[in-house]
Amino acid sequence: MDLLDEPVPGVGTYEDFNTIDWVREKSKDRDRHREIATKSKESTLALMKSISDAFSGWLLMLLVGLMAGALAGGIDISAHWMTDLKEGVCLNGFWFNHEHCCWNSNETTFQERDKCPNWKSWAELIVGTNDGPFAYIMNYLMYVCWALLFSFLAVSLVRAFAPYACGSGIPEIKTILSGFIIRGYLGKWTLMIKTITLVLAVSSGLSLGKEGPLVHVACCCGNILCHLFTKYRRNEAKRREVLSAAAAVGVSVAFGAPIGGVLFSLEEVSYYFPLKTLWRSFFAALVAAFTLRSINPFGNSRLVLFYVEFHSPWHLLELIPFILLGIFGGIWGAFFIRANIAWCRRRKTTRLGHYPVLEVLVVTAVTALLAFPNSYTRMSTSELISELFNDCGLLDSSQLCNYANVSVTKISSDALPDRPAGPDVYTAMWQLSLALVFKMLITVVTFGMKVPSGLFIPSMAVGAIAGRLLGVGMEQLAYYHHDWVIFRGWCSPGADCITPGLYAMVGAAACLGGVTRMTVSLVVIMFELTGGLEYIVPLMAATMTSKWVADALGREGIYEAHIRLNGYPFLESKEEFSHKTLAMDVMRPRRSDPPLSVITQDGMSVEEVESLIAETSYSGFPVVVSHESQRLVGFVQRRDLVISIENARKRQEGVVSASRIFFTEYTPPQPPNSPPPLKLRGIMDLSPFTVTDHTAMDIVVDIFRKLGLRQCLVTHNGCALHISLEFSCLPLQNGC
Amino acid sequence: MDLLDEPVPGVGTYEDFNTIDWVREKSKDRDRHREIATKSKESTLALMKSISDAFSGWLLMLLVGLMAGALAGGIDISAHWMTDLKEGVCLNGFWFNHEHCCWNSNETTFQERDKCPNWKSWAELIVGTNDGPFAYIMNYLMYVCWALLFSFLAVSLVRAFAPYACGSGIPEIKTILSGFIIRGYLGKWTLMIKTITLVLAVSSGLSLGKEGPLVHVACCCGNILCHLFTKYRRNEAKRREVLSAAAAVGVSVAFGAPIGGVLFSLEEVSYYFPLKTLWRSFFAALVAAFTLRSINPFGNSRLVLFYVEFHSPWHLLELIPFILLGIFGGIWGAFFIRANIAWCRRRKTTRLGHYPVLEVLVVTAVTALLAFPNSYTRMSTSELISELFNDCGLLDSSQLCNYANVSVTKISSDALPDRPAGPDVYTAMWQLSLALVFKMLITVVTFGMKVPSGLFIPSMAVGAIAGRLLGVGMEQLAYYHHDWVIFRGWCSPGADCITPGLYAMVGAAACLGGVTRMTVSLVVIMFELTGGLEYIVPLMAATMTSKWVADALGREGIYEAHIRLNGYPFLESKEEFSHKTLAMDVMRPRRSDPPLSVITQDGMSVEEVESLIAETSYSGFPVVVSHESQRLVGFVQRRDLVISIENARKRQEGVVSASRIFFTEYTPPQPPNSPPPLKLRGIMDLSPFTVTDHTAMDIVVDIFRKLGLRQCLVTHNGCALHISLEFSCLPLQNGC
């Protein structure tokens, strides 16, 4: 056994902003598991312990699902209430939102219920009427004031208590899952502040969503609950398995899509995703979805506001507009990423970054001032998406559904024929076009501010508006020109051939795909939103087109771009190597550099090693047989070496600067008057990963990715050796 | 560059029943890709080539989807027709199946249509009547004869033309995907014969399904279509990506579940599943599903016979019977695997295996004789499952739905209250119990015979019967004892509280899970069959219970058990190491063995190397600096060495037995009269994978799994080295 007799505290742990060694962590967990399994045969108590150990993972998943589901429900309800608070208040009790307030009202249709007597707008409450320009200005003012208050609270709380709570968190979670350590990023303060400020930020009417931050919230839950179980608390690799599952939980509650959540975690954020994690994330995602459903935040037993059930068929020719939407989504995605990154870089480098509170207040003021006059930007973005996705029924009285009532012979309730648009629809089209431009511009400056901000909802809104516009256009075209060749045969008068709501949905998927470059998980999420397999083909066509177009215009998705902007070490698994280089071309030290700093297995004193540590900043040193024959024996981490020497100087009798350090199995007898030797074989990694200097770099990178290495040694003919020091995107950037 | 000036044909390829080197194959593909990318900047033609190369993967996926979908449609239609042929024939045209034959008939209800005048049973056709014992015996006889004819044809065709067409194929596909080579297993003969014999085997009424073999059929399509594209034809690793996607396609058409298919491929069969493959398999699975839907084999625009749409809710307390079903499924799964493996081993070792045709005929005869009298075993298994899943409506006239009509105040069409069972239901219960025992026993001897045979459908049938029995029992219990504590509150009289069809579905999932140990993919497949998220929790509870129970009774799923039975080399990724061993403990040669056979980089003659090859059976040799200092230079494959020496002796002027072989970069000047040297640096792998002798075996196994290695060298202090020869289940069993 190569363990120290008395393990020194701190050996084998990691510093903040460092990368973990997956192989070592997994090996540690296997040892622990093996020990429990061996002991379990000895006594009943140990057997019980072994069983509870086996089920602790499932229990943890259950807890994560319950906690994240409950939090998501709370966030939904509070955000709904506070969004309505900007427009008015309920007389029955200020804690009711608009919909709840009017539930017991006697009016039957939705439109009338909207004007129920108990719900008072601020103007009604203050000046007693809701008509006239004065009341309008009153309402306008209150809307802007509330928005400013909410966003001020949000940004102040973030700055004061948890700076990590800002943004969407997904880039950082991707980095953490790949093995990086950012202490406190998933802590309880971050969780608390993020939950509160998320509600505030969403309610303030800023162009941001709660879906991305919900992933961060769920990961915080996962990380905090890990502390309840030794197995997960002590092992960084095991903890990351839980975080992968928690990311799935986040998407599951954000979109009511458990399967989509698991695929999102697999496709987008996770680094190491074994089958066990697949099962567990699925379980946790389900638990969370059912918790949220039992909270029922929207009162319709759906998990999201914009759930729709379509039944109208689509025609093969409609794939052309769907692909057009895909192209639009791709272009928008690429433009958004460039513009947003440029803006964020400006924030980082200029004086703009010194006034985050002011920035948030200005953006909120602009948003609120511009948003209020247009009813489509005034409503919350989720409501907007819900309205755009919605297929117009006969009884729908919204502006978008104001179609002329042509007399048709047979009307079935779920398939209305295409009808000419009424004047309200044209007004709505104008308003939607303005809303589109507004959303496109304001989102660029909003994402990245010092408040929690998700990207999913604004991107989907942009796409949904564009899609609805195209859909209504197509519908009117088909109505007035049903004798054109392209419509002939499938779009006769009186038939329901075009569904504008479907176009909105396809557009939303395309834009979201362009920004995030998700494909399968996105399609599955949208499929779970609609519950119909028949729309998978349009969605697939649009998202694939959007991904290809966006990839052609710029290689990175928004999360990768933010990772690079922030300089996190991250080894992108999708990236391909374009040059054929060998390990000997990239390793350090280069031929011209001073020779490699090595430690010999039996020849160095404490003083020599300490000066080596002081002179260099490498994160570890290879141990060799001797300076002449540089045959590799093992590898020792700088941190472990420092801690061990310090510890030995404090505790071990007689260890002084002249003591010799031995990494060999047996210490040779020392001359009588020499100080006692220091045996450090226990902290040496006896199985460092090595590649030969002729190994192609793409293979080396593959090994790093697949095994999650921290470092890798390069050997030549088995003897001379170098530390291979990869580019900063390899998970070993720091030091070494 | 380390390529040979003139590449010798055959170098770098693999022999049959050998394992591929994933790292080398992937590296080869990257080189190819890099070359195309570099060239693409030079001319427009090359650019076009590069684009077509990039899209060839998608085109291939499209073709695989179309071909597999079309084949699945053909199989469905023919099997449906031939199954009906056992009972009678259509007078309008013998090529109509029972349902088609009666489509134009005037009778309106399904039950009456069943007795349409154009469809004649064999007794009616021959003796003119369908009544009386003689007619019954006549029908019985014809049923058995057809069954024997079909199965005889099936087994004969398999034996004569494509012995690989038997069985379900999934164990072999798992092995192939892990890197093993079985030539012809996915060839065109196998495809043709498997398609035909699958129809015959299913129609013969044997207790087998077409779902597993459909995966094999889809993989054959994928493999054959790979030959159209150089990129996939020449590269074993790339081809396996296509096969992974094809496996998803197979499940997609078998169950009409594209997402489930992708997850099946990921969870159950694939070894290397990069994200790119995820997108592509999803695309292919969708194409296949839509091809199948446009063929519309069942005339109801569903992809499978047993699609159901449930709407009835379930109560939390019902989880107890669902978990009971899970326990049943687990026990049945474990029992089935043991019994089936014991039977298959007996077939392998005793004289039973010498008479495969006789075996098939005997089993068919027994199946047909026992199945005919019981209407639930006489119908095809898919139909049985469909009937068991079905929720009884008001108009359902089947035996299972013969409930007493209690007068209830409000009847809504989709929620019928629980009613007392009529006498027919009790008869059906008896028949189902008999069918359960029959199916359980006959499936054990059927799976593994020399005909194509899938396991999904028989397993699901067993579970569905058990579930339906329990469901009807629960329903009657709740009806007669609705005042019991457990029913009080949620099951008042006149309420629809228990849905026996849901129990059947949960039971089916539990049994299938017990046999195959699938979890997520199974739940998703069942979810796509029902189209309702609300049943995921019952399904999840049952499958997880079933997996845990089955795992406790026996570690392996049926596919792993068959892989082990057949002795294929397969490294199970789910298995954990229970012992802590080091690489030095398992490597060969052991300490007591003769020393390692090595080749020196510049010291050996052709004769010496040839005798080394003749004396040993290793699949490769390490190349070292010299015999004294065994520092590792590289590794050379036995096959490459043999081919190169042979080639040199034939082609190269003057290469004789005394020629010296050089693996060094520069050949030293030779003495004047010596024969010309043989330079073989080109065939040497300059970057062999090495681990130190102190590396823990679990890490070594992890490296093998994750990187898909063929061999790995063990070094000690960078110098002395051994070939690590892992257990036969590592993918390097052969030779070496």
Side-chain angles (χ1 to χ4, degrees), chain A residues 27-76:
Chain A
S27 178
K28 248 168 65 183
D29 183 63
R30 273 192 293 255
D31 288 346
R32 195 195 55 81
H33 185 254
R34 206 173 286 130
E35 198 178 320
I36 289 179
T38 320
K39 267 191 195 158
S40 75
K41 283 163 201 149
E42 288 163 13
S43 73
T44 324
L45 189 73
L47 184 69
M48 295 298 293
K49 229 179 190 169
S50 139
I51 292 171
S52 86
D53 180 78
F55 279 87
S56 65
W58 292 99
L59 181 62
L60 179 54
M61 288 297 127
L62 179 74
L63 294 176
V64 171
L66 287 173
M67 185 167 170
L71 275 177
I75 290 171
D76 279 340

Coordinates of all heavy atoms in Angstrom, one line a residue, chain A residues 27-76:
Chain A
S27 N -10.3 7.2 -8.7 CA -9.6 6.1 -8.1 C -9.8 6.1 -6.6 O -10.1 5.1 -5.9 CB -8.1 6.2 -8.4 OG -7.4 5.2 -7.8
K28 N -9.8 7.3 -6.0 CA -10.1 7.4 -4.5 C -11.5 6.9 -4.2 O -11.6 6.2 -3.2 CB -10.0 8.9 -4.2 CG -8.9 9.3 -3.3 CD -8.7 10.8 -3.2 CE -9.9 11.6 -2.5 NZ -9.7 13.0 -2.5
D29 N -12.4 7.2 -5.1 CA -13.8 6.8 -4.8 C -13.9 5.3 -4.9 O -14.6 4.6 -4.1 CB -14.8 7.4 -5.7 CG -16.2 7.0 -5.4 OD1 -16.7 7.3 -4.3 OD2 -16.9 6.4 -6.2
R30 N -13.2 4.7 -5.9 CA -13.2 3.2 -6.0 C -12.6 2.6 -4.8 O -13.2 1.6 -4.3 CB -12.5 2.8 -7.3 CG -13.4 2.8 -8.5 CD -12.7 2.1 -9.6 NE -11.6 2.9 -10.1 CZ -11.6 3.6 -11.2 NH1 -12.6 3.7 -12.0 NH2 -10.5 4.3 -11.5
D31 N -11.5 3.2 -4.3 CA -10.9 2.6 -3.1 C -11.9 2.6 -1.9 O -12.1 1.6 -1.2 CB -9.7 3.4 -2.7 CG -8.5 3.2 -3.6 OD1 -8.6 2.2 -4.4 OD2 -7.6 3.9 -3.6
R32 N -12.6 3.7 -1.8 CA -13.5 3.9 -0.7 C -14.7 2.8 -0.8 O -15.0 2.2 0.2 CB -14.2 5.3 -0.7 CG -14.9 5.8 0.5 CD -15.7 7.0 0.2 NE -16.6 6.6 -1.0 CZ -17.8 6.0 -0.8 NH1 -18.2 5.6 0.3 NH2 -18.5 5.7 -1.9
H33 N -15.1 2.7 -2.0 CA -16.2 1.8 -2.3 C -15.8 0.3 -2.0 O -16.5 -0.5 -1.4 CB -16.6 1.9 -3.8 CG -17.8 1.1 -4.1 ND1 -17.7 -0.1 -4.8 CD2 -19.1 1.2 -3.8 CE1 -18.9 -0.6 -5.0 NE2 -19.8 0.1 -4.3
R34 N -14.5 0.0 -2.4 CA -14.0 -1.3 -2.2 C -13.9 -1.6 -0.7 O -14.2 -2.7 -0.3 CB -12.6 -1.4 -2.9 CG -12.2 -2.8 -3.3 CD -10.9 -2.7 -4.1 NE -11.1 -2.2 -5.4 CZ -10.4 -1.2 -5.9 NH1 -9.4 -0.6 -5.2 NH2 -10.6 -0.8 -7.2
E35 N -13.5 -0.6 0.0 CA -13.3 -0.8 1.5 C -14.7 -1.1 2.1 O -14.8 -2.0 2.9 CB -12.7 0.5 2.1 CG -12.2 0.3 3.4 CD -11.6 1.7 3.9 OE1 -11.0 2.4 3.0 OE2 -11.8 2.0 5.0
I36 N -15.7 -0.3 1.7 CA -17.0 -0.6 2.3 C -17.5 -2.0 1.9 O -18.1 -2.7 2.7 CB -18.0 0.5 1.8 CG1 -17.6 1.9 2.4 CG2 -19.4 0.1 2.1 CD1 -18.5 3.0 2.0
A37 N -17.3 -2.3 0.6 CA -17.8 -3.6 0.2 C -17.1 -4.8 0.9 O -17.7 -5.8 1.3 CB -17.5 -3.8 -1.3
T38 N -15.8 -4.6 1.2 CA -15.1 -5.6 1.9 C -15.6 -5.8 3.4 O -15.8 -6.8 3.9 CB -13.6 -5.3 2.0 OG1 -13.2 -4.8 0.7 CG2 -12.7 -6.5 2.3
K39 N -15.8 -4.6 4.0 CA -16.2 -4.6 5.4 C -17.6 -5.1 5.5 O -18.0 -5.7 6.5 CB -16.2 -3.1 5.9 CG -14.9 -2.8 6.6 CD -15.1 -1.5 7.3 CE -13.8 -0.9 7.7 NZ -13.9 0.6 7.9
S40 N -18.5 -4.9 4.5 CA -19.9 -5.3 4.6 C -20.1 -6.8 4.8 O -21.1 -7.2 5.3 CB -20.6 -4.9 3.3 OG -20.3 -5.8 2.2
K41 N -19.0 -7.6 4.5 CA -19.2 -9.0 4.7 C -18.9 -9.4 6.2 O -19.2 -10.5 6.6 CB -18.2 -9.8 3.8 CG -18.7 -9.8 2.4 CD -17.6 -10.2 1.4 CE -17.9 -9.8 0.0 NZ -16.8 -9.4 -0.8
E42 N -18.4 -8.4 6.9 CA -18.0 -8.7 8.3 C -19.1 -8.6 9.3 O -19.3 -9.5 10.1 CB -16.8 -7.8 8.7 CG -15.5 -8.2 8.0 CD -14.5 -7.2 8.1 OE1 -14.6 -6.2 8.9 OE2 -13.5 -7.2 7.3
S43 N -19.9 -7.6 9.2 CA -21.0 -7.4 10.2 C -22.2 -6.9 9.6 O -22.2 -6.3 8.5 CB -20.5 -6.5 11.4 OG -20.5 -5.2 10.9
T44 N -23.3 -7.0 10.3 CA -24.6 -6.6 9.8 C -24.6 -5.0 9.7 O -25.2 -4.5 8.8 CB -25.8 -7.0 10.7 OG1 -25.4 -8.3 11.2 CG2 -27.1 -7.1 10.0
L45 N -24.0 -4.4 10.7 CA -24.0 -3.0 10.8 C -23.2 -2.4 9.5 O -23.7 -1.5 8.8 CB -23.3 -2.5 12.0 CG -23.3 -1.0 12.2 CD1 -24.7 -0.6 12.7 CD2 -22.3 -0.5 13.2
A46 N -22.1 -3.1 9.2 CA -21.4 -2.7 8.0 C -22.2 -2.9 6.8 O -22.1 -2.1 5.8 CB -20.0 -3.4 8.0
L47 N -22.9 -4.0 6.8 CA -23.8 -4.3 5.6 C -24.8 -3.2 5.4 O -25.0 -2.7 4.3 CB -24.4 -5.7 5.8 CG -25.3 -6.1 4.6 CD1 -24.4 -6.5 3.4 CD2 -26.1 -7.3 5.0
M48 N -25.4 -2.8 6.5 CA -26.4 -1.7 6.5 C -25.8 -0.5 5.9 O -26.3 0.3 5.1 CB -27.0 -1.4 7.8 CG -27.8 -2.5 8.5 SD -29.2 -3.0 7.5 CE -30.2 -1.5 7.7
K49 N -24.5 -0.2 6.4 CA -23.8 1.0 6.0 C -23.6 0.9 4.5 O -23.7 1.9 3.8 CB -22.5 1.0 6.7 CG -22.2 2.4 7.3 CD -20.9 2.3 8.1 CE -20.6 3.5 8.9 NZ -19.5 3.3 9.8
S50 N -23.2 -0.3 4.0 CA -22.9 -0.4 2.6 C -24.2 -0.2 1.8 O -24.1 0.4 0.7 CB -22.3 -1.8 2.3 OG -22.8 -2.4 1.2
I51 N -25.3 -0.7 2.3 CA -26.6 -0.5 1.5 C -26.9 1.0 1.5 O -27.3 1.5 0.5 CB -27.7 -1.4 2.1 CG1 -27.4 -2.9 1.9 CG2 -29.0 -1.0 1.6 CD1 -28.3 -3.8 2.6
S52 N -26.8 1.6 2.7 CA -27.2 3.0 2.8 C -26.3 3.8 1.9 O -26.7 4.8 1.2 CB -27.1 3.5 4.2 OG -25.8 3.9 4.5
D53 N -25.0 3.4 1.8 CA -24.1 4.1 0.9 C -24.5 3.9 -0.6 O -24.5 4.9 -1.3 CB -22.7 3.5 1.1 CG -21.7 4.1 0.2 OD1 -21.2 5.2 0.5 OD2 -21.3 3.5 -0.9
A54 N -25.0 2.7 -0.9 CA -25.4 2.5 -2.3 C -26.6 3.4 -2.6 O -26.8 3.8 -3.8 CB -25.7 1.0 -2.5
F55 N -27.5 3.6 -1.7 CA -28.7 4.3 -2.0 C -28.6 5.8 -1.7 O -29.5 6.5 -2.0 CB -29.9 3.7 -1.2 CG -30.5 2.5 -1.8 CD1 -29.9 1.2 -1.5 CD2 -31.5 2.6 -2.8 CE1 -30.4 0.1 -2.2 CE2 -32.0 1.5 -3.4 CZ -31.5 0.2 -3.1
S56 N -27.5 6.2 -1.1 CA -27.4 7.6 -0.8 C -27.4 8.5 -2.0 O -27.9 9.6 -2.0 CB -26.1 7.9 0.0 OG -25.0 7.6 -0.8
G57 N -26.9 8.0 -3.1 CA -27.0 8.7 -4.4 C -28.4 9.0 -4.8 O -28.8 10.1 -5.2
W58 N -29.3 8.0 -4.7 CA -30.7 8.2 -5.0 C -31.4 9.1 -4.1 O -32.2 9.9 -4.5 CB -31.4 6.8 -5.1 CG -30.9 5.9 -6.2 CD1 -30.0 4.9 -6.1 CD2 -31.2 6.0 -7.5 NE1 -29.7 4.4 -7.3 CE2 -30.5 5.0 -8.2 CE3 -32.1 6.8 -8.3 CZ2 -30.6 4.8 -9.6 CZ3 -32.2 6.6 -9.6 CH2 -31.5 5.6 -10.3
L59 N -31.0 9.0 -2.8 CA -31.6 9.9 -1.8 C -31.3 11.3 -2.1 O -32.1 12.2 -2.1 CB -31.2 9.4 -0.4 CG -31.7 10.3 0.7 CD1 -33.2 10.1 0.8 CD2 -31.1 9.8 2.0
L60 N -30.0 11.5 -2.4 CA -29.5 12.8 -2.8 C -30.3 13.4 -4.0 O -30.7 14.6 -4.0 CB -28.0 12.8 -3.0 CG -27.3 14.0 -3.4 CD1 -27.5 15.1 -2.4 CD2 -25.8 13.8 -3.5
M61 N -30.4 12.5 -5.0 CA -31.2 13.0 -6.2 C -32.6 13.4 -5.8 O -33.1 14.4 -6.3 CB -31.2 11.9 -7.2 CG -29.9 11.6 -7.8 SD -29.4 13.0 -8.8 CE -27.8 13.3 -8.1
L62 N -33.2 12.6 -5.0 CA -34.6 12.9 -4.5 C -34.6 14.3 -3.9 O -35.5 15.1 -4.2 CB -35.1 11.8 -3.6 CG -36.5 12.0 -3.0 CD1 -37.5 11.7 -4.0 CD2 -36.7 11.1 -1.8
L63 N -33.7 14.5 -3.0 CA -33.6 15.8 -2.3 C -33.4 17.0 -3.2 O -34.0 18.0 -3.1 CB -32.5 15.8 -1.2 CG -32.8 14.8 0.0 CD1 -31.6 14.8 0.9 CD2 -34.0 15.2 0.7
V64 N -32.4 16.8 -4.2 CA -32.1 17.8 -5.1 C -33.4 18.1 -5.9 O -33.8 19.3 -6.1 CB -31.0 17.4 -6.1 CG1 -30.8 18.4 -7.2 CG2 -29.7 17.3 -5.3
G65 N -34.1 17.1 -6.4 CA -35.3 17.3 -7.2 C -36.4 18.0 -6.4 O -37.0 19.0 -6.9
L66 N -36.6 17.6 -5.1 CA -37.6 18.3 -4.3 C -37.2 19.8 -4.1 O -38.1 20.6 -4.2 CB -37.7 17.6 -2.9 CG -38.4 16.2 -3.0 CD1 -38.3 15.5 -1.6 CD2 -39.8 16.3 -3.4
M67 N -36.0 20.0 -3.7 CA -35.6 21.4 -3.3 C -35.6 22.3 -4.6 O -36.2 23.4 -4.5 CB -34.1 21.3 -2.8 CG -33.6 22.6 -2.3 SD -32.1 22.3 -1.3 CE -31.6 24.0 -1.1
A68 N -35.1 21.8 -5.7 CA -35.1 22.6 -6.9 C -36.5 22.9 -7.4 O -36.8 24.0 -7.8 CB -34.2 22.0 -8.0
G69 N -37.3 21.8 -7.3 CA -38.7 22.0 -7.8 C -39.4 23.0 -6.9 O -40.2 23.9 -7.4
A70 N -39.2 22.9 -5.6 CA -39.9 23.9 -4.7 C -39.4 25.3 -5.0 O -40.2 26.2 -5.0 CB -39.6 23.5 -3.3
L71 N -38.1 25.4 -5.1 CA -37.6 26.8 -5.4 C -38.1 27.4 -6.7 O -38.5 28.5 -6.7 CB -36.0 26.7 -5.4 CG -35.3 26.8 -4.1 CD1 -33.8 26.7 -4.3 CD2 -35.6 28.1 -3.4
A72 N -38.1 26.5 -7.7 CA -38.6 27.0 -9.0 C -40.1 27.4 -8.9 O -40.5 28.5 -9.4 CB -38.5 25.9 -10.0
G73 N -40.9 26.6 -8.1 CA -42.3 27.0 -7.9 C -42.4 28.4 -7.2 O -43.1 29.2 -7.6
G74 N -41.6 28.5 -6.2 CA -41.6 29.8 -5.5 C -41.2 31.0 -6.4 O -41.8 32.0 -6.3
I75 N -40.1 30.8 -7.2 CA -39.7 31.8 -8.1 C -40.8 32.2 -9.1 O -41.1 33.3 -9.3 CB -38.4 31.4 -8.8 CG1 -37.2 31.3 -7.8 CG2 -38.1 32.3 -10.0 CD1 -36.0 30.7 -8.4
D76 N -41.4 31.1 -9.6 CA -42.5 31.4 -10.6 C -43.6 32.2 -10.0 O -44.0 33.2 -10.6 CB -43.1 30.0 -11.1 CG -42.3 29.4 -12.1 OD1 -41.5 30.1 -12.8 OD2 -42.4 28.2 -12.3

